Amino acid sequence: MPPKKMRPIFLLRQSLKTHIRHTAKNLSTSPSRHLPLFNTSRPLQTLKPTTTTSAASAAGGPFFHSRSLHEASADEDPASEGEEDGPMNEFLSRFVSLMRSKLVEAYPDCEKPTIDSMLLVIAQKVVSEMDGSGLDPKLRPLSASAVSADLSEDLWRTVWEISNSVFEGMKNERRRREMKGFLQCDDVKAMCRFAADVGVRGDLLHEFRLKWAREKLEESERYRELMRNPPGVAREEAETPVEVVDLPKRRGKIKYKIHGLDLSGPEWAEVAFKTEEGEKRVFTEVAKPVMGKCKLVTERLLAMGEGGELSGVVGEWKELLEPSRVDWVTLMERAKERSQGLHYKLAELLLDEESYRPTISDYSKLIDNYAKEGRVEDAERILNKMTDKGLKPDAVVHTILVHLYSKAGNLELAEAAFNNLRSQDFRPSLRLYSSMIMAYVKAGSPKSGEALMKEMEMRDIKPTNEIYMGLLKAFAERGHVDGAQRIFTTMQIAGLHPTLESCTLVVEAYGRAGDVDHARSNFDFMLKAGHKPDDRCVAAMIAAYEKKNMLDKALNLLLELEKDGFEPGTATYSVLVDWLGKLQLVDEAEQMLMKINEKGEEAPFEINVSICEMYSRAGVKEKAFEALQRLEAEKERLREDEFERIVEGLLAGGFVSDAKRVHELMQERGFVSSERLRVSLMAAQAIPRQRPRPSK
């Protein structure tokens, strides 16, 4: 029986073992010689032999040129060896070549036989690690506990690095060979011929050929991976039961907040349940068909206007159809298409209908509709009806009330609704803040509005330009220069560039406060900013000069502006009329009035106060009383200071009875006269100088 053929890798291992035993025997006979390949605490770069040795030459030289290897493989067929162990031989050849360079670099003083002996030991360890697993391309460094006791940890790390680089190089070379083969395969050639037929040439054709060959290579690698890891193995692994580990149970209650509302409470679960039930009632039901007599009643109901009596027709319609909520909703939608007033009236009537089952949402929608139209009394009536039914206003209703009362100028009720929202931990929106700030502005409390604006900024809500301008205007009208300057500065910090309107308001604020210097500096700042002053801005600057009676500077300013093309308008002429009237320059004031009439524009209402005071002091009764009649016709527009000017002018002209009558109108408006005015009235009554009033 012929002897069993031995594999080359087995012969390699046998020759390595023989060589190691021979080398160890020679080393044991020489006490001055040791190999720095065994385990040591020093790194690889610092390990150097103390003496050179030629023991490796006695052992037969390098392991891949050793005599035992040649003798063992003499009986083998070279062709068979290349076919069976080609990858292993290539790996060992590359590995030894790279490892030799590392050893020569680390041990420059060692002779070639010593280096060969080192390579023999290292190669034997690498082969033993690959025993049973074949040529595994995923070699990784071993842990400290798994490191061989013969080689140091640093040496193992170097071995793994070289092995992985060898595997990577072999893989890339294999891919290049396969890529060359796929470039010449029939499928790629056929596609290239087709591409050439349709006009693809040059570099583009070359790129397509590489792309198609690469796709073939990737497909081949996928099939190779499937052959290496069959799907059956994966299924067996997938069928292995997996132990399920329960997650630890959470202790405590989950708290969830959105926009400041704590939604983790039990009441919100009830709200969600009611909402779901309400949606089921509305959207899952289908309205009943309206036919016959019921259809005629429906048409008669829809034909009725807002002033018609709906209760009787609605009752008849209810008896005929026996409606549910969805039927009522359908009827209201049809009424809304006909008339908005009819829709409101029908919706209000259905709030008392049991079959309609009204909710707080129905009340809030109707209140919102009335609020948008400014119908405060109607909105309050629906609100009272809702509270009488035991329904408390929610955040939606309070939000609507804030907008309603802010628009109506009722600060007290708007503030109450806003505080109710805060008590419910509701985070106001930008629109809500804007409405509340404007309510403060209308009520003459810009400081409260400014505090609310700062609260907005703390909540990362950016105020709008309308909010800034509203506060700036409120401060300017009252002459609060500090507040106006703060708002003006805040606008610039927020990135809003100064405009002609904002600069004019700052000038007006300083003008009303009597600070001419700051008013002029802001006026000059506006000019430097590139804004051309308009009639209103110039009038504000002239009014500032009027406070200090600086007529010469005012005229110089007008002359300078006229050189630049400015033409005074109604506002500037009105300020000059007021100023000249106070100086009793009647002729000059009348010239300004003529210029206003020439422009064909309507003079401002406030100019009547100046005219009445001027003619009263000058004793021109007819013109004074003519202006007084215009003022009395629109007495609601008069301010407290304007009332006092009229009364003082009438007293100065001797029209005591008329002055007393205007003073009574002032008190009816709720204004309190100053001490000086009361003393003047008492003195005029004690020493009467009444002049006869001309007949009308």
Side-chain angles (χ1 to χ4, degrees), residues 419-441:
N419 291 332
N420 286 329
L421 285 174
R422 283 180 167 176
S423 63
Q424 297 178 9
D425 294 334
F426 182 79
R427 184 177 181 180
S429 61
L430 173 61
R431 183 167 174 262
L432 195 63
Y433 272 120
S434 179
S435 297
M436 198 63 215
I437 290 173
M438 291 306 167
Y440 282 121
V441 169

PDB file of all heavy atoms in Angstrom, residues 419-441:
ATOM      1  N   ASN A 419     -54.372  87.863  33.761  1.00  0.00           N
ATOM      2  CA  ASN A 419     -53.919  87.252  35.016  1.00  0.00           C
ATOM      3  C   ASN A 419     -54.529  85.870  35.214  1.00  0.00           C
ATOM      4  O   ASN A 419     -53.895  84.979  35.799  1.00  0.00           O
ATOM      5  CB  ASN A 419     -54.270  88.164  36.189  1.00  0.00           C
ATOM      6  CG  ASN A 419     -53.459  89.446  36.191  1.00  0.00           C
ATOM      7  OD1 ASN A 419     -52.331  89.475  35.689  1.00  0.00           O
ATOM      8  ND2 ASN A 419     -54.021  90.515  36.729  1.00  0.00           N
ATOM      9  N   ASN A 420     -55.756  85.669  34.732  1.00  0.00           N
ATOM     10  CA  ASN A 420     -56.357  84.333  34.807  1.00  0.00           C
ATOM     11  C   ASN A 420     -55.571  83.328  33.971  1.00  0.00           C
ATOM     12  O   ASN A 420     -55.409  82.166  34.363  1.00  0.00           O
ATOM     13  CB  ASN A 420     -57.807  84.389  34.335  1.00  0.00           C
ATOM     14  CG  ASN A 420     -58.727  85.032  35.360  1.00  0.00           C
ATOM     15  OD1 ASN A 420     -58.484  84.932  36.565  1.00  0.00           O
ATOM     16  ND2 ASN A 420     -59.773  85.698  34.902  1.00  0.00           N
ATOM     17  N   LEU A 421     -55.082  83.775  32.831  1.00  0.00           N
ATOM     18  CA  LEU A 421     -54.247  82.894  32.012  1.00  0.00           C
ATOM     19  C   LEU A 421     -52.955  82.541  32.735  1.00  0.00           C
ATOM     20  O   LEU A 421     -52.487  81.402  32.698  1.00  0.00           O
ATOM     21  CB  LEU A 421     -53.931  83.571  30.677  1.00  0.00           C
ATOM     22  CG  LEU A 421     -55.056  83.618  29.647  1.00  0.00           C
ATOM     23  CD1 LEU A 421     -54.635  84.442  28.444  1.00  0.00           C
ATOM     24  CD2 LEU A 421     -55.431  82.218  29.205  1.00  0.00           C
ATOM     25  N   ARG A 422     -52.369  83.508  33.383  1.00  0.00           N
ATOM     26  CA  ARG A 422     -51.134  83.240  34.123  1.00  0.00           C
ATOM     27  C   ARG A 422     -51.382  82.275  35.279  1.00  0.00           C
ATOM     28  O   ARG A 422     -50.533  81.429  35.581  1.00  0.00           O
ATOM     29  CB  ARG A 422     -50.567  84.548  34.656  1.00  0.00           C
ATOM     30  CG  ARG A 422     -49.859  85.390  33.601  1.00  0.00           C
ATOM     31  CD  ARG A 422     -49.340  86.665  34.222  1.00  0.00           C
ATOM     32  NE  ARG A 422     -48.414  87.356  33.339  1.00  0.00           N
ATOM     33  CZ  ARG A 422     -47.878  88.538  33.612  1.00  0.00           C
ATOM     34  NH1 ARG A 422     -48.189  89.152  34.744  1.00  0.00           N
ATOM     35  NH2 ARG A 422     -47.039  89.105  32.768  1.00  0.00           N
ATOM     36  N   SER A 423     -52.521  82.406  35.929  1.00  0.00           N
ATOM     37  CA  SER A 423     -52.819  81.509  37.047  1.00  0.00           C
ATOM     38  C   SER A 423     -52.986  80.067  36.590  1.00  0.00           C
ATOM     39  O   SER A 423     -52.820  79.142  37.383  1.00  0.00           O
ATOM     40  CB  SER A 423     -54.090  81.981  37.761  1.00  0.00           C
ATOM     41  OG  SER A 423     -55.213  81.908  36.891  1.00  0.00           O
ATOM     42  N   GLN A 424     -53.309  79.865  35.312  1.00  0.00           N
ATOM     43  CA  GLN A 424     -53.444  78.517  34.762  1.00  0.00           C
ATOM     44  C   GLN A 424     -52.139  77.996  34.169  1.00  0.00           C
ATOM     45  O   GLN A 424     -52.138  77.003  33.442  1.00  0.00           O
ATOM     46  CB  GLN A 424     -54.533  78.508  33.685  1.00  0.00           C
ATOM     47  CG  GLN A 424     -55.916  78.851  34.203  1.00  0.00           C
ATOM     48  CD  GLN A 424     -56.958  78.883  33.098  1.00  0.00           C
ATOM     49  OE1 GLN A 424     -56.690  78.495  31.967  1.00  0.00           O
ATOM     50  NE2 GLN A 424     -58.159  79.338  33.428  1.00  0.00           N
ATOM     51  N   ASP A 425     -51.020  78.675  34.469  1.00  0.00           N
ATOM     52  CA  ASP A 425     -49.697  78.293  33.953  1.00  0.00           C
ATOM     53  C   ASP A 425     -49.675  78.277  32.430  1.00  0.00           C
ATOM     54  O   ASP A 425     -49.007  77.452  31.805  1.00  0.00           O
ATOM     55  CB  ASP A 425     -49.269  76.913  34.485  1.00  0.00           C
ATOM     56  CG  ASP A 425     -49.046  76.931  35.980  1.00  0.00           C
ATOM     57  OD1 ASP A 425     -48.731  78.013  36.507  1.00  0.00           O
ATOM     58  OD2 ASP A 425     -49.208  75.876  36.618  1.00  0.00           O
ATOM     59  N   PHE A 426     -50.424  79.188  31.844  1.00  0.00           N
ATOM     60  CA  PHE A 426     -50.466  79.288  30.384  1.00  0.00           C
ATOM     61  C   PHE A 426     -49.405  80.273  29.921  1.00  0.00           C
ATOM     62  O   PHE A 426     -49.294  81.381  30.460  1.00  0.00           O
ATOM     63  CB  PHE A 426     -51.846  79.754  29.927  1.00  0.00           C
ATOM     64  CG  PHE A 426     -51.996  79.838  28.434  1.00  0.00           C
ATOM     65  CD1 PHE A 426     -52.218  78.699  27.689  1.00  0.00           C
ATOM     66  CD2 PHE A 426     -51.910  81.055  27.782  1.00  0.00           C
ATOM     67  CE1 PHE A 426     -52.357  78.769  26.312  1.00  0.00           C
ATOM     68  CE2 PHE A 426     -52.045  81.142  26.415  1.00  0.00           C
ATOM     69  CZ  PHE A 426     -52.270  79.989  25.676  1.00  0.00           C
ATOM     70  N   ARG A 427     -48.628  79.861  28.930  1.00  0.00           N
ATOM     71  CA  ARG A 427     -47.573  80.728  28.397  1.00  0.00           C
ATOM     72  C   ARG A 427     -48.150  81.588  27.281  1.00  0.00           C
ATOM     73  O   ARG A 427     -48.522  81.069  26.227  1.00  0.00           O
ATOM     74  CB  ARG A 427     -46.417  79.895  27.856  1.00  0.00           C
ATOM     75  CG  ARG A 427     -45.252  80.748  27.368  1.00  0.00           C
ATOM     76  CD  ARG A 427     -44.105  79.885  26.913  1.00  0.00           C
ATOM     77  NE  ARG A 427     -42.985  80.694  26.463  1.00  0.00           N
ATOM     78  CZ  ARG A 427     -41.846  80.201  26.007  1.00  0.00           C
ATOM     79  NH1 ARG A 427     -41.680  78.894  25.959  1.00  0.00           N
ATOM     80  NH2 ARG A 427     -40.877  80.993  25.621  1.00  0.00           N
ATOM     81  N   PRO A 428     -48.249  82.900  27.489  1.00  0.00           N
ATOM     82  CA  PRO A 428     -48.853  83.760  26.464  1.00  0.00           C
ATOM     83  C   PRO A 428     -48.046  83.747  25.172  1.00  0.00           C
ATOM     84  O   PRO A 428     -46.827  83.586  25.171  1.00  0.00           O
ATOM     85  CB  PRO A 428     -48.852  85.149  27.119  1.00  0.00           C
ATOM     86  CG  PRO A 428     -48.702  84.897  28.578  1.00  0.00           C
ATOM     87  CD  PRO A 428     -47.887  83.649  28.700  1.00  0.00           C
ATOM     88  N   SER A 429     -48.755  83.953  24.080  1.00  0.00           N
ATOM     89  CA  SER A 429     -48.122  84.007  22.770  1.00  0.00           C
ATOM     90  C   SER A 429     -47.754  85.451  22.436  1.00  0.00           C
ATOM     91  O   SER A 429     -48.054  86.390  23.179  1.00  0.00           O
ATOM     92  CB  SER A 429     -49.066  83.440  21.709  1.00  0.00           C
ATOM     93  OG  SER A 429     -50.253  84.216  21.646  1.00  0.00           O
ATOM     94  N   LEU A 430     -47.106  85.616  21.293  1.00  0.00           N
ATOM     95  CA  LEU A 430     -46.720  86.954  20.849  1.00  0.00           C
ATOM     96  C   LEU A 430     -47.946  87.831  20.628  1.00  0.00           C
ATOM     97  O   LEU A 430     -47.964  89.009  21.014  1.00  0.00           O
ATOM     98  CB  LEU A 430     -45.899  86.841  19.560  1.00  0.00           C
ATOM     99  CG  LEU A 430     -45.544  88.162  18.859  1.00  0.00           C
ATOM    100  CD1 LEU A 430     -44.697  89.041  19.762  1.00  0.00           C
ATOM    101  CD2 LEU A 430     -44.819  87.892  17.547  1.00  0.00           C
ATOM    102  N   ARG A 431     -48.980  87.267  20.025  1.00  0.00           N
ATOM    103  CA  ARG A 431     -50.195  88.048  19.760  1.00  0.00           C
ATOM    104  C   ARG A 431     -50.870  88.464  21.058  1.00  0.00           C
ATOM    105  O   ARG A 431     -51.397  89.579  21.172  1.00  0.00           O
ATOM    106  CB  ARG A 431     -51.150  87.214  18.903  1.00  0.00           C
ATOM    107  CG  ARG A 431     -52.418  87.940  18.493  1.00  0.00           C
ATOM    108  CD  ARG A 431     -53.153  87.180  17.408  1.00  0.00           C
ATOM    109  NE  ARG A 431     -54.426  87.789  17.097  1.00  0.00           N
ATOM    110  CZ  ARG A 431     -55.584  87.401  17.582  1.00  0.00           C
ATOM    111  NH1 ARG A 431     -55.620  86.358  18.417  1.00  0.00           N
ATOM    112  NH2 ARG A 431     -56.708  88.002  17.260  1.00  0.00           N
ATOM    113  N   LEU A 432     -50.850  87.585  22.050  1.00  0.00           N
ATOM    114  CA  LEU A 432     -51.471  87.911  23.335  1.00  0.00           C
ATOM    115  C   LEU A 432     -50.690  89.017  24.042  1.00  0.00           C
ATOM    116  O   LEU A 432     -51.275  89.960  24.592  1.00  0.00           O
ATOM    117  CB  LEU A 432     -51.535  86.656  24.200  1.00  0.00           C
ATOM    118  CG  LEU A 432     -52.463  86.707  25.414  1.00  0.00           C
ATOM    119  CD1 LEU A 432     -53.898  86.888  24.974  1.00  0.00           C
ATOM    120  CD2 LEU A 432     -52.325  85.443  26.235  1.00  0.00           C
ATOM    121  N   TYR A 433     -49.366  88.900  24.033  1.00  0.00           N
ATOM    122  CA  TYR A 433     -48.541  89.955  24.623  1.00  0.00           C
ATOM    123  C   TYR A 433     -48.776  91.288  23.904  1.00  0.00           C
ATOM    124  O   TYR A 433     -48.869  92.349  24.541  1.00  0.00           O
ATOM    125  CB  TYR A 433     -47.066  89.574  24.533  1.00  0.00           C
ATOM    126  CG  TYR A 433     -46.558  88.751  25.689  1.00  0.00           C
ATOM    127  CD1 TYR A 433     -46.034  87.482  25.492  1.00  0.00           C
ATOM    128  CD2 TYR A 433     -46.579  89.250  26.986  1.00  0.00           C
ATOM    129  CE1 TYR A 433     -45.559  86.725  26.549  1.00  0.00           C
ATOM    130  CE2 TYR A 433     -46.109  88.500  28.050  1.00  0.00           C
ATOM    131  CZ  TYR A 433     -45.594  87.239  27.826  1.00  0.00           C
ATOM    132  OH  TYR A 433     -45.127  86.497  28.876  1.00  0.00           O
ATOM    133  N   SER A 434     -48.856  91.236  22.594  1.00  0.00           N
ATOM    134  CA  SER A 434     -49.044  92.463  21.822  1.00  0.00           C
ATOM    135  C   SER A 434     -50.364  93.138  22.173  1.00  0.00           C
ATOM    136  O   SER A 434     -50.423  94.364  22.351  1.00  0.00           O
ATOM    137  CB  SER A 434     -48.991  92.128  20.327  1.00  0.00           C
ATOM    138  OG  SER A 434     -49.192  93.288  19.556  1.00  0.00           O
ATOM    139  N   SER A 435     -51.432  92.352  22.304  1.00  0.00           N
ATOM    140  CA  SER A 435     -52.734  92.930  22.658  1.00  0.00           C
ATOM    141  C   SER A 435     -52.693  93.570  24.039  1.00  0.00           C
ATOM    142  O   SER A 435     -53.232  94.667  24.251  1.00  0.00           O
ATOM    143  CB  SER A 435     -53.814  91.850  22.603  1.00  0.00           C
ATOM    144  OG  SER A 435     -53.961  91.340  21.301  1.00  0.00           O
ATOM    145  N   MET A 436     -52.045  92.899  24.980  1.00  0.00           N
ATOM    146  CA  MET A 436     -52.008  93.426  26.346  1.00  0.00           C
ATOM    147  C   MET A 436     -51.149  94.687  26.424  1.00  0.00           C
ATOM    148  O   MET A 436     -51.492  95.644  27.132  1.00  0.00           O
ATOM    149  CB  MET A 436     -51.450  92.342  27.277  1.00  0.00           C
ATOM    150  CG  MET A 436     -51.745  92.593  28.738  1.00  0.00           C
ATOM    151  SD  MET A 436     -53.507  92.589  29.051  1.00  0.00           S
ATOM    152  CE  MET A 436     -53.614  93.836  30.326  1.00  0.00           C
ATOM    153  N   ILE A 437     -50.054  94.718  25.693  1.00  0.00           N
ATOM    154  CA  ILE A 437     -49.199  95.914  25.701  1.00  0.00           C
ATOM    155  C   ILE A 437     -49.941  97.093  25.089  1.00  0.00           C
ATOM    156  O   ILE A 437     -49.875  98.227  25.594  1.00  0.00           O
ATOM    157  CB  ILE A 437     -47.884  95.625  24.950  1.00  0.00           C
ATOM    158  CG1 ILE A 437     -47.025  94.641  25.757  1.00  0.00           C
ATOM    159  CG2 ILE A 437     -47.108  96.904  24.701  1.00  0.00           C
ATOM    160  CD1 ILE A 437     -45.787  94.163  25.033  1.00  0.00           C
ATOM    161  N   MET A 438     -50.674  96.854  24.002  1.00  0.00           N
ATOM    162  CA  MET A 438     -51.437  97.936  23.389  1.00  0.00           C
ATOM    163  C   MET A 438     -52.562  98.418  24.302  1.00  0.00           C
ATOM    164  O   MET A 438     -52.947  99.592  24.264  1.00  0.00           O
ATOM    165  CB  MET A 438     -52.006  97.474  22.046  1.00  0.00           C
ATOM    166  CG  MET A 438     -50.939  97.270  20.987  1.00  0.00           C
ATOM    167  SD  MET A 438     -49.916  98.755  20.796  1.00  0.00           S
ATOM    168  CE  MET A 438     -48.563  98.125  19.828  1.00  0.00           C
ATOM    169  N   ALA A 439     -53.090  97.522  25.135  1.00  0.00           N
ATOM    170  CA  ALA A 439     -54.094  97.951  26.111  1.00  0.00           C
ATOM    171  C   ALA A 439     -53.477  98.914  27.121  1.00  0.00           C
ATOM    172  O   ALA A 439     -54.093  99.925  27.496  1.00  0.00           O
ATOM    173  CB  ALA A 439     -54.683  96.734  26.821  1.00  0.00           C
ATOM    174  N   TYR A 440     -52.255  98.607  27.561  1.00  0.00           N
ATOM    175  CA  TYR A 440     -51.562  99.534  28.462  1.00  0.00           C
ATOM    176  C   TYR A 440     -51.267 100.861  27.766  1.00  0.00           C
ATOM    177  O   TYR A 440     -51.351 101.931  28.384  1.00  0.00           O
ATOM    178  CB  TYR A 440     -50.263  98.902  28.951  1.00  0.00           C
ATOM    179  CG  TYR A 440     -50.447  97.868  30.042  1.00  0.00           C
ATOM    180  CD1 TYR A 440     -50.015  96.556  29.862  1.00  0.00           C
ATOM    181  CD2 TYR A 440     -51.043  98.202  31.251  1.00  0.00           C
ATOM    182  CE1 TYR A 440     -50.179  95.605  30.854  1.00  0.00           C
ATOM    183  CE2 TYR A 440     -51.210  97.256  32.252  1.00  0.00           C
ATOM    184  CZ  TYR A 440     -50.779  95.958  32.047  1.00  0.00           C
ATOM    185  OH  TYR A 440     -50.950  95.021  33.036  1.00  0.00           O
ATOM    186  N   VAL A 441     -50.922 100.805  26.498  1.00  0.00           N
ATOM    187  CA  VAL A 441     -50.619 102.038  25.754  1.00  0.00           C
ATOM    188  C   VAL A 441     -51.868 102.909  25.644  1.00  0.00           C
ATOM    189  O   VAL A 441     -51.824 104.131  25.865  1.00  0.00           O
ATOM    190  CB  VAL A 441     -50.057 101.689  24.367  1.00  0.00           C
ATOM    191  CG1 VAL A 441     -49.999 102.925  23.479  1.00  0.00           C
ATOM    192  CG2 VAL A 441     -48.671 101.076  24.496  1.00  0.00           C
TER     193      VAL A 441
END
